[in-house]
Amino acid sequence: MTDTVRLRPPSHRLDRRVLGWWRTHGLIWFGPPVLTLVLLGLLIPPARMWLLAPAAVTAVLGAAWILLMPMWWYRVHRWEATETAVYTRTGFFFQESRVVPLSRIQTVDTVRGPLQQAFKLATVTVTTASARGPVKISGLDRELAENLAERLTETTQATPGDAT
């Protein structure tokens, strides 16, 4: 079976646990500013309204972001690896689709930060001989990511070309 290397929608979704990972990121970004503003608002009575109002706005925006953005990203983000190429689609307003022929792959890495480890997720980074930079597939099941990296490495080694 030979696949044509062309830009097309990838077929695989990320692991569903990525929703919790993204929401936790949202809590880390929005939680501390809200808590700081609330605490200062309670401790400094003359500035209470000037501090609690932005805290409320930030909390509402943060809650909306934490609830809605991960669901949207989950619907948009896709990936696929075939015998000839790696396909990805990412983004929000500006969606980016990329196709990387296996002959252009230089290295394949997996990364698991502390939060990803907590959710048993990993990121596969495919570094290419392209000025555009590496392709990252974040939010894969840890074992799937390791197997994908191994398979891509083996397939890349068997693919003719020098990745330049």
Side-chain angles (χ1 to χ4, degrees):
M1 178 175 104
T2 59
D3 291 332
T4 302
V5 178
R6 61 183 174 82
L7 193 59
R8 62 174 177 76
S11 63
H12 302 299
R13 286 188 168 195
L14 301 177
D15 190 284
R16 191 134 178 96
R17 289 173 288 183
V18 77
L19 293 167
W21 179 50
W22 286 332
R23 286 186 174 123
T24 303
H25 272 261
L27 286 171
I28 289 170
W29 278 100
F30 287 99
V34 169
L35 291 175
T36 301
L37 289 169
V38 168
L39 182 62
L40 289 173
L42 295 174
L43 294 175
I44 308 170
R48 184 164 288 150
M49 284 308 289
W50 294 105
L51 294 168
L52 293 181
V57 170
T58 304
V60 168
L61 292 174
W65 191 95
I66 289 166
L67 291 174
L68 301 176
M69 292 301 291
M71 291 186 326
W72 176 260
W73 287 338
Y74 185 73
R75 288 184 181 137
V76 171
H77 288 205
R78 295 278 191 279
W79 72 277
E80 184 177 358
T82 67
E83 296 300 316
T84 56
V86 175
Y87 301 85
T88 62
R89 185 176 68 193
T90 59
F92 176 61
F93 287 123
F94 297 97
Q95 294 179 12
E96 177 183 67
S97 293
R98 292 187 61 190
V99 58
V100 177
L102 294 186
S103 62
R104 302 290 287 171
I105 295 175
Q106 293 180 327
T107 62
V108 181
D109 305 300
T110 58
V111 176
R112 292 181 292 134
L115 280 179
Q116 282 183 311
Q117 289 181 45
F119 285 95
K120 295 184 172 109
L121 297 172
T123 296
V124 173
T125 303
V126 179
T127 305
T128 67
S130 165
R132 184 67 182 99
V135 172
K136 292 187 178 189
I137 307 169
S138 298
L140 296 177
D141 174 76
R142 182 186 65 219
E143 288 183 31
L144 175 63
E146 291 169 1
N147 291 337
L148 176 62
E150 184 177 324
R151 184 172 58 109
L152 286 175
T153 301
E154 290 171 357
T155 306
T156 301
Q157 291 300 313
T159 301
D162 63 355
T164 59

